[in-house]
Structures are given as structure tokens and as C-alpha cells.
Amino acid sequence: TQLLEQSPQFLSIQEGENLTVYCNSSSVFSSLQWYRQEPGEGPVLLVTVVTGGEVKKLKRLTFQFGDARKDSSLHITAAQPGDTGLYLCAGAETGTASKLTFGTGTRLQVTL
Amino acid sequence: GAGVSQSPRYKVAKRGQDVALRCDPISGHVSLFWYQQALGQGPEFLTYFQNEAQLDKSGLPSDRFFAERPEGSVSTLKIQRTQQEDSAVYLCASSLFPGVGETQYFGPGTRLLVL
């Protein structure tokens, strides 16, 4: 059972547009990570957020962890074709070591 | 440097066959995880090792699934009497230390198709 819901499931946009992906849960997570996965490959970590309200920026990507540590968002500015892929959020629940619960995924396609 | 490797990359099995999937983690990594990823979904946790000890196997879907890591490095996920619903990508990940927030490095996965 997936405890993390992502929206939207699919997103097709043109190069230069901005977008936001949401990750929501009813559970509290001690940390939350965002991954990008390309076809035929494993997920690759983009960022880890651990503090409620935390905002991290990675070039054109901005990640935010909700104050209650139940939700997160990923904002991409001026999307490029190289941003195409499956974006996954993943939470580590308190007391579960580093076991990750992954979200349902958002498939992003950026076209020229 | 070498990342996490998995073999085979693709496996086709007839229903009822046994399969064994191998994971070579990054050298020296203490923690090793197995995940199952169905088509179009996010990965789902199967099991977790800290060195050779299997500390969490709560995600294994049935007693047909068995994992081992006898020397604390290479791990094998075995599926007995495969069923069509076992078709998925099986991902292995390792991290240097156990603990929340540790980066997990994923292998490319083994795509299993059960006919």
C-alpha cells in the first residue's frame, strides 16, 4: 500500500515552462527524499529534506518540506528536455531505520 | 567508481519456475535493500539487511520470496514457483551506514517477466 500520493501522475509541458509536483501523506516522516528515474535505470537521489518547513534549491529545482513533515513539493523553473523522467518522492518513517516508502510517481515529459 | 550492479538485467521465466536475482552493492556499504517496482508505479520495499542480518522482511509478499546476504556483501533474492503477478522490476539499493536520511544508491534493476 502506497502511503505517499503524488500529483499530477503525468505532466507534458513545453521547454521553458514552470511546473510543480506535489507529494502528500497522512503519515509524518522523519525525512523525505526526491528521486528521478529514467527508463531502464534505478532511481537517482536529487535531494533529502529533514526539517519541517525546509526549502532546498538545486539549480532550477526547488524542494519544500511541509511544516508538519507530511507533505512536500518539487518546483522546476524553465523546464528543459533533460528534465524528462519519473519523479518519485520517498519518505522515511520514524523508527523504521532507513526503509523508504515511495510515492506513486509523476511522469514528466518536456518537449521542445 | 563502481556503483550497485544487478544481474541478470532481464529474466523471462515460465510460471512455476524458480528464479534468483543477484545484487552487488557498493563495496563497504553496510545496508542493503530490495524493492519491487510494478509498471508505472513507485518502488515498494521488500526487505532490508544490515551486514548479513536480515532486519526487516515485512515487505516480502509471500513465503515464495526469500532473500539472503550470507557474507554481508552480495545479496540474492529468490522467488520460488513464480506467478504472473511477480512480473516487475526488482531494484537493489545500498547505503554506507544504516539510519534515516542516509543516501541509498540504486542499481539498474532486474526486469522479471513471468509468462
Side-chain angles (χ1 to χ4, degrees):
Chain A
T1 303
Q2 298 278 10
L3 299 178
L4 282 165
E5 293 290 333
Q6 287 184 236
S7 61
Q9 280 188 286
F10 301 98
L11 197 52
S12 181
I13 62 173
Q14 290 190 319
E15 183 180 19
E17 292 185 23
N18 301 332
L19 66 117
T20 302
V21 177
Y22 299 93
C23 174
N24 295 292
S25 174
S26 57
S27 300
V28 175
F29 293 99
S30 52
S31 71
L32 196 135
Q33 300 178 332
W34 284 93
Y35 291 81
R36 185 171 76 202
Q37 185 177 23
E38 300 194 26
E41 300 295 329
V44 175
L45 180 67
L46 296 174
V47 76
T48 300
V49 285
V50 296
T51 305
E54 182 177 3
V55 176
K56 277 192 175 179
K57 291 190 175 184
L58 185 67
K59 296 184 180 177
R60 293 177 295 100
L61 279 59
T62 302
F63 305 86
Q64 185 163 7
F65 201 11
D67 291 341
R69 291 186 290 134
K70 292 183 179 181
D71 55 86
S72 181
S73 65
L74 158 60
H75 182 79
I76 301 178
T77 303
Q80 299 177 358
D83 296 328
T84 294
L86 178 67
Y87 288 82
L88 296 159
C89 62
E93 295 182 60
T94 305
T96 60
S98 28
K99 167 185 169 181
L100 292 175
T101 299
F102 278 86
T104 47
T106 295
R107 190 164 297 280
L108 171 65
Q109 182 171 13
V110 183
T111 55
L112 293 170
Chain B
V4 177
S5 60
Q6 294 186 244
S7 61
R9 291 293 311 274
Y10 303 93
K11 178 69 179 178
V12 179
K14 292 183 179 178
R15 189 163 56 97
Q17 280 186 332
D18 298 348
V19 298
L21 312 180
R22 177 186 170 108
C23 172
D24 284 83
I26 295 173
S27 178
H29 277 200
V30 169
S31 298
L32 186 145
F33 304 82
W34 283 98
Y35 294 88
Q36 179 190 59
Q37 186 173 24
L39 189 63
Q41 299 291 318
E44 291 198 16
F45 170 81
L46 293 177
T47 188
Y48 162 60
F49 290 86
Q50 186 173 318
N51 295 307
E52 69 277 4
Q54 189 176 19
L55 298 186
D56 188 342
K57 52 182 180 179
S58 62
L60 295 177
S62 77
D63 58 8
R64 296 185 296 103
F65 286 71
F66 172 77
E68 60 182 5
R69 193 186 186 198
E71 297 179 357
S73 55
V74 172
S75 177
T76 304
L77 176 66
K78 297 179 180 177
I79 309 173
Q80 297 177 322
R81 305 181 303 281
T82 52
Q83 304 291 316
Q84 286 185 322
E85 61 263 28
D86 299 335
S87 296
V89 175
Y90 291 86
L91 294 165
C92 174
S94 69
S95 66
L96 182 58
F97 298 115
V100 172
E102 279 293 318
T103 299
Q104 294 188 22
Y105 297 88
F106 283 81
T110 293
R111 184 176 298 275
L112 173 65
L113 176 63
V114 182
L115 301 176

